[in-house]
Amino acid sequence: MSTTRRFGSTGMDITPVGFGTWVISGPGWQYSWGSTDDTDSVAAIRHAVATGLNWIDTAAAYGLGHAEELVGRALAGIPERERPYIFTKTGLIWEDGDDPNGPPLRVMRPETVRRELENSLRRLGTDHIDLYQVHWPDTGARFVYGAEGEPTGDATPLEEYWQLMADLRKEGKVRAVGLSNHDVRQLDIAESIAHVDAIQPPFSALNRVAAPEIAWAAAHDTGVIAYSPLQSGLLTGAYTADRVLAADDWRRGYAEFTTDLPVNLAFVDALRPIAARHGVGVAEVALAWVTGWPGITGAIVGARTPAQIDGWAGARDLVLTADDQAEITAALVATGAGTGPVRP
């Protein structure tokens, strides 16, 4: 039995690492990771469950529902008592006539959310969702990854869409509700309306800017699942300076994979001696650093194949020593890699 942690006030206990499905969402949409093999993807999900991971994080936006369909396929043959918790998200949509290779809308209109919920339940093959999350704050504008975007007059106010999420929780189709990519000010507003069961911020050794939100969660008995803990593959230890990303891989245009790559890889090299001491891979050290940050319940990690899971699943049992932590802090300072506080 894998070690689990109390997930805020949700009543769920989750493993420190969960399976993420963005990477298996397939081609043909704005934030694709490139071509994937659905058979491998289903096998990866089943392998994650078999190795003891007890939760899966997905979203309606991933592949325009394709990732949720794969989760549904993977879990269909697993007895109910052995199934993992299912977490998914709402609020990024392509309306009729939109180009899926263009940016989606950030929309939290009640009728849209309820329709998305029913579609997610159908694709996932379940009658309830364990954690239903708002993917991004509603601005009414097109979503561009890494940019806030200007709000429009069509945005649904936070107060309204969070009350809707609380209503869905009361209705029983979702067990818990959460906010992804919301800041402390927004979390305070939401908490004044109904308890925020969980938050999902980006957090890794190279992206530490969500430290205030994680501290907020710890003070409010709110669970935290961090996404991109391996910084979209940079912290796996397998990414090299000469790697050429596919033309339809969303990472091609981002500084961390281009201008910032030498610094980022220098930091990765600093993790290798720590990994060697523990007899694990660099990815497991990077994950253990995230799951060891005070306030974080678990980290979301994706995989395209079962073999990739074997490269990081052991992180759930790895505890870094004080010397390890000091060495990582020193490496962050020395290389200047990433942004945010280098220690809690």
Side-chain angles (χ1 to χ4, degrees):
M1 179 67 69
S2 296
T3 300
T4 59
R5 299 175 173 183
R6 178 177 176 272
F7 191 28
S9 59
T10 65
M12 293 180 270
D13 294 323
I14 64 172
T15 48
V17 178
F19 186 87
T21 64
W22 182 9
V23 71
I24 62 170
S25 57
W29 67 293
Q30 173 76 2
Y31 295 106
S32 166
W33 291 67
S35 296
T36 53
D37 183 289
D38 287 353
T39 300
D40 286 345
S41 298
V42 169
I45 295 169
R46 289 177 177 163
H47 186 61
V49 176
T51 58
L53 275 62
N54 77 345
W55 55 284
I56 295 172
D57 182 83
T58 187
Y62 297 162
L64 284 71
H66 187 59
E68 288 186 333
E69 290 172 348
L70 292 174
V71 173
R73 283 173 51 185
L75 301 186
I78 300 177
E80 186 70 30
R81 68 183 179 278
E82 298 175 13
R83 289 189 178 192
Y85 296 123
I86 299 175
F87 305 160
T88 193
K89 312 178 201 71
T90 183
L92 288 184
I93 68 167
W94 286 262
E95 295 184 322
D96 290 344
D98 283 349
D99 178 4
N101 287 299
L105 285 165
R106 288 162 58 158
V107 174
M108 284 295 297
R109 293 190 299 266
E111 66 275 15
T112 301
V113 172
R114 288 187 177 276
R115 182 175 68 246
E116 285 233 299
L117 174 58
E118 293 303 322
N119 287 337
S120 289
L121 289 169
R122 173 181 52 79
R123 289 189 291 256
L124 292 163
T126 185
D127 60 0
H128 77 282
I129 289 165
D130 295 296
L131 173 64
Y132 202 41
Q133 303 158 96
V134 181
H135 211 150
W136 286 84
D138 186 351
T139 61
R142 293 284 173 185
F143 171 74
V144 178
Y145 191 73
E148 181 58 29
E150 289 298 321
T152 72
D154 295 327
T156 302
L158 170 59
E159 293 86 346
E160 292 184 20
Y161 67 73
W162 188 242
Q163 183 60 61
L164 169 64
M165 296 292 283
D167 292 344
L168 293 176
R169 182 173 56 192
K170 289 180 182 178
E171 292 167 16
K173 288 191 175 180
V174 303
R175 178 174 178 178
V177 289
L179 293 167
S180 178
N181 300 298
H182 285 63
D183 61 27
V184 168
R185 180 189 65 82
Q186 293 164 327
L187 295 175
D188 279 334
I189 293 171
E191 185 70 13
S192 71
I193 296 164
H195 181 53
V196 179
D197 293 319
I199 64 169
Q200 184 182 141
F203 197 76
S204 76
L206 295 177
N207 181 3
R208 309 173 300 272
V209 297
E213 286 71 37
I214 295 167
W216 182 96
H220 290 83
D221 201 16
T222 293
V224 179
I225 50 175
Y227 75 84
S228 293
L230 295 179
Q231 203 59 34
S232 304
L234 279 174
L235 295 173
T236 61
Y239 201 95
T240 60
D242 59 357
R243 179 174 175 181
V244 178
L245 295 170
D248 57 352
D249 190 319
W250 70 272
R251 296 174 293 176
R252 284 176 63 96
Y254 288 82
E256 58 206 285
F257 290 91
T258 54
T259 55
D260 296 342
L261 187 60
V263 168
N264 292 336
L265 293 182
F267 172 70
V268 170
D269 285 340
L271 298 182
R272 297 188 192 279
I274 301 171
R277 286 200 299 270
H278 288 278
V280 299
V282 167
E284 289 165 307
V285 172
L287 282 173
W289 185 88
V290 170
T291 58
W293 191 277
I296 290 182
T297 317
I300 303 165
V301 194
R304 298 172 187 255
T305 65
Q308 288 180 340
I309 294 170
D310 294 333
W312 50 254
R316 63 192 172 205
D317 301 316
L318 176 61
V319 178
L320 299 176
T321 68
D323 287 344
D324 295 333
Q325 296 281 8
E327 195 169 330
I328 293 170
T329 297
L332 288 171
V333 172
T335 62
T339 307
V342 296
R343 63 176 66 86

